[in-house]
Amino acid sequence: MKTFSSKYGNALEIGHILGGEEVFEGEWSERFNPSDREDLVARFPIATKETLRRALRVARSAFEDWSRTPAPIRGQVLFNLAKILEREKPTLTRLMVREVGKTFKEAAGDVQEAIDTALFFASEGRRLYGQTVPSEMKDKELFTFRRPLGVVGMITAGNFPIAVPSWKLIPAVLAGNSVVWKPSEDSPALSYVFVKLFEEAGLPPGVINLVFGGGKESTGQWLVELMDEGLMNKFAFTGSTRVGRWIGEVAGRNLIRPTLELGGKNPLVVMRDADLELAVEGAWWSAFATGGQRCTSAGNILVDKPIYEEFKRRFLEKVEATWVGNPLLHEVTYGPFINERFFERWLEHYAWGEKDGARLLFGKGRIQSHTSYPLFFGDPEAGLYGWPTVWEAAPGMRQFEEEIFGPTINLVQVDGIEEAIRVANSTPYGLSSAIYTHHRHWAYLFKVGIRAGMTSINNATVGAEAHLPFGGVKASGNGARESGIWVLEEYTYWHAVNEEYSGKLQLAQMDTGYVTPKPAISWKEVVG
Ligand code: SIN
């Protein structure tokens, strides 16, 4: 690693990390601060397929020792990691603000999530329980053990550059696996530092290997393709539904069960009895936290007819007071688009809305000097910033159905709880969901009727906790869960073991001592 001075801190020149060694192979790429593109944050190489093969072989060889290291010792490494992350929290937070444009508050939360995950799994190393199971036969015992899967390929997104990788890396290594991780090309510096902190915590070289590169026709695609060469036993991915489907196909033909955390179009329902102030705040945060660049961001706010106009008035008032700008220099609600691809895609939705006849209530596309969004702080030309955007839309419209991944929200009118649930379920996705109501039966109907992996009652659609399962249904994922004890299913397999003490071959299913019922009287004769 080399460092050199850049506009808002140092820029890092970094290589892939294979078996603890830094490797500079591949064409160079650069990551700039998305709030100000004059601020270079990292220079990194793009891994070729051959570099990936090598990384996977290194991971295979590290797996041999690591998988035999006792789980409490593996857990101890994670306990060390939690302490190191706490120490480095301010540095990682600032780097995250620079590298992906999160606000300080959100970036600190992102790092905190990794600390919580490390603490949770540090203690899980002392459990990682199996079961004892009664046998059908005498002098025989049955057991189950969790075993690691082997080498895990991972691809993560840049919107949660420490938290979401921690949901995968930490349980994977706790369970005894080794990893080749391709982080987003939007967060190379953070990923590099994160792997270095694992090393400092005592993780042996080669257990986590880091490879940089892009997605399509680049490192990400090649890593997926290498499942066909038998170099991985597991694949974990956070990203779009389109790419997730393809990864699922490649994994499927290799009999690998992947973890696929995909997109969302998350509904937030506001019922007629809701605490409107709370609902407005929750809806606003769900829509605009991280500039709408979370897979849990609200996509549609479904508002009950009797309070629709009042909610709309109060919500627009709140939206109009949203502070946008450079989060490194100003206290704002959200900063820039993480990358140009997200911005271009977001911008397109204005045309969808116009075509489908949705009504634009607030928002004018990119924030530029000449359109002067009144609450913008910083230089709007230095990055890609979007107006907070609010539409009145209806089910069936493209913007109602598709993930937009930016600061845009639709208000949709519904009439009563039955319609709210039907409309909430009518997008292809099923990740997160929320309802604001004090009516216990409506809350209950929503809980049991909504098709989503996660539901909030009187709370926002965003905001995961490290020990609750995270994941979706329908187009939001393949049913795999991250976080908490549930994620262990994704990084281990169950090994059933029987031990025979009788000194003879007892035949299962045949030499059992089942008792045959012997009727004392004939009930047929008694009953006649
Ligand atoms: C995400 O992974 O995009 C969201 C996590 C959260 O909302 O906390």
Side-chain angles (χ1 to χ4, degrees):
M1 178 186 62
K2 277 197 235 156
T3 60
F4 44 94
S5 154
S6 189
K7 186 165 177 183
Y8 291 118
N10 282 344
L12 271 54
E13 189 172 287
I14 46 185
H16 318 293
I17 302 178
L18 271 59
E21 300 291 322
E22 206 164 340
V23 174
F24 297 92
E25 280 175 6
E27 277 175 32
W28 285 96
S29 187
E30 291 176 325
R31 173 66 186 172
F32 291 90
N33 177 345
S35 307
D36 184 336
R37 284 170 293 180
E38 284 179 8
D39 182 29
L40 178 66
V41 182
R43 292 195 72 228
F44 58 98
I46 306 285
T48 62
K49 215 166 187 174
E50 200 35 55
T51 307
L52 290 177
R53 282 195 188 93
R54 198 139 58 80
L56 290 160
R57 283 196 290 267
V58 168
R60 176 72 57 197
S61 117
F63 173 72
E64 295 308 319
D65 265 358
W66 182 244
S67 57
R68 288 192 175 88
T69 303
I73 310 295
R74 298 196 299 250
Q76 174 69 28
V77 171
L78 298 175
F79 185 67
N80 296 343
L81 178 72
K83 287 191 288 187
I84 293 167
L85 286 170
E86 261 165 16
R87 186 192 74 206
E88 298 298 339
K89 187 173 170 182
T91 306
L92 286 168
T93 298
R94 188 169 192 282
L95 180 59
M96 196 179 300
V97 176
R98 263 182 85 206
E99 194 167 37
V100 299
K102 280 198 182 194
T103 62
F104 274 93
K105 190 168 180 171
E106 286 200 51
D110 195 310
V111 179
Q112 186 59 43
E113 180 76 358
I115 296 170
D116 298 341
T117 301
L119 285 173
F120 183 91
F121 285 101
S123 69
E124 204 53 43
R126 295 199 172 268
R127 282 181 291 271
L128 215 62
Y129 297 144
Q131 296 103 355
T132 57
V133 180
S135 171
E136 294 165 342
M137 283 167 284
K138 285 184 185 160
D139 299 324
K140 188 178 174 189
E141 282 182 329
L142 311 181
F143 312 91
T144 66
F145 297 89
R146 280 194 185 279
R147 305 288 188 214
L149 296 171
V151 176
V152 185
M154 285 184 190
I155 297 180
T156 53
N159 58 341
F160 274 83
I162 293 289
V164 170
S166 83
W167 292 354
K168 295 174 168 52
L169 292 167
I170 289 174
V173 300
L174 182 271
N177 301 284
S178 58
V179 177
V180 173
W181 173 33
K182 195 220 70 86
S184 163
E185 64 269 47
D186 298 330
S187 54
L190 283 161
S191 312
Y192 178 89
V193 176
F194 197 24
V195 172
K196 285 288 174 196
L197 299 182
F198 271 99
E199 279 179 14
E200 185 193 330
L203 194 75
V207 176
I208 295 180
N209 302 279
L210 177 69
V211 286
F212 294 121
K216 198 162 183 247
E217 286 163 26
S218 181
T219 317
Q221 179 177 326
W222 301 327
L223 186 61
V224 175
E225 287 169 359
L226 285 173
M227 276 191 271
D228 283 335
E229 294 187 16
L231 298 171
M232 281 164 271
N233 309 93
K234 164 79 188 173
F235 210 93
F237 171 74
T238 295
S240 74
T241 299
R242 188 181 51 78
V243 175
R245 277 187 209 283
W246 172 65
I247 293 176
E249 282 167 23
V250 180
R253 68 174 174 249
N254 288 290
L255 304 181
I256 287 175
R257 225 180 55 195
T259 293
L260 301 172
E261 294 301 348
L262 311 175
K265 188 74 189 179
N266 308 297
L268 183 147
V269 172
V270 186
M271 294 304 295
R272 60 195 70 181
D273 68 322
D275 174 337
L276 273 198
E277 206 177 311
L278 192 67
V280 164
E281 200 186 0
W284 171 79
W285 181 245
S286 300
F288 299 112
T290 332
Q293 297 167 101
R294 294 194 190 201
C295 47
T296 50
S297 296
N300 295 309
I301 301 179
L302 316 182
V303 187
D304 206 2
K305 196 170 169 186
I307 52 148
Y308 184 81
E309 290 304 329
E310 177 61 8
F311 178 88
K312 180 166 95 177
R313 187 186 64 72
R314 292 205 207 180
F315 185 70
L316 284 172
E317 221 172 78
K318 180 90 183 153
V319 174
E320 283 166 27
T322 303
W323 292 18
V324 185
N326 182 340
L328 197 61
L329 308 178
H330 305 276
E331 205 166 303
V332 291
T333 302
Y334 67 85
F337 279 90
I338 299 170
N339 61 43
E340 199 169 337
R341 193 165 38 88
F342 291 170
F343 167 73
E344 295 295 343
R345 160 88 183 172
W346 172 77
L347 208 53
E348 265 181 45
H349 94 275
Y350 277 90
W352 307 350
E354 205 172 303
K355 181 162 175 279
D356 287 350
R359 191 165 153 232
L360 186 61
L361 301 178
F362 193 71
K364 294 185 190 168
R366 182 174 174 190
I367 298 178
Q368 284 172 302
S369 313
H370 63 269
T371 49
S372 67
Y373 176 64
L375 292 177
F376 186 84
F377 300 88
D379 173 7
E381 302 292 347
L384 296 167
Y385 296 91
W387 275 68
T389 301
V390 185
W391 297 82
E392 226 160 29
M397 290 181 177
R398 187 167 175 189
Q399 72 196 76
F400 174 88
E401 307 243 322
E402 287 190 28
E403 189 174 33
I404 291 173
F405 220 68
T408 284
I409 190 74
N410 301 314
L411 300 186
V412 179
Q413 194 178 122
V414 290
D415 194 359
I417 188 68
E418 301 294 342
E419 187 179 345
I421 295 170
R422 189 162 36 76
V423 172
N425 279 333
S426 68
T427 73
Y429 294 98
L431 187 61
S432 158
S433 57
I435 186 166
Y436 281 82
T437 182
H438 289 300
H439 194 296
R440 294 185 65 218
H441 190 222
W442 290 347
Y444 167 79
L445 289 176
F446 190 74
K447 256 193 305 194
V448 298
I450 190 72
R451 292 273 291 130
M454 297 170 288
T455 297
S456 301
I457 315 281
N458 293 318
N459 194 13
T461 57
V462 295
E465 297 202 31
H467 43 275
L468 247 194
F470 185 98
V473 296
K474 295 158 69 185
S476 294
N478 65 340
R481 290 292 176 265
E482 312 211 273
S483 294
I485 52 169
W486 300 272
V487 70
L488 290 174
E489 297 304 320
E490 305 306 319
Y491 293 106
T492 55
Y493 69 90
W494 282 111
H495 186 192
V497 174
N498 72 82
E499 197 165 349
E500 176 63 70
Y501 304 99
S502 69
K504 57 185 182 202
L505 179 64
Q506 298 196 83
L507 302 182
Q509 307 148 14
M510 290 165 265
D511 293 345
T512 51
Y514 294 133
V515 180
T516 316
K518 293 191 187 75
I521 53 173
S522 160
W523 287 105
K524 191 158 181 275
E525 279 172 23
V526 173
V527 176

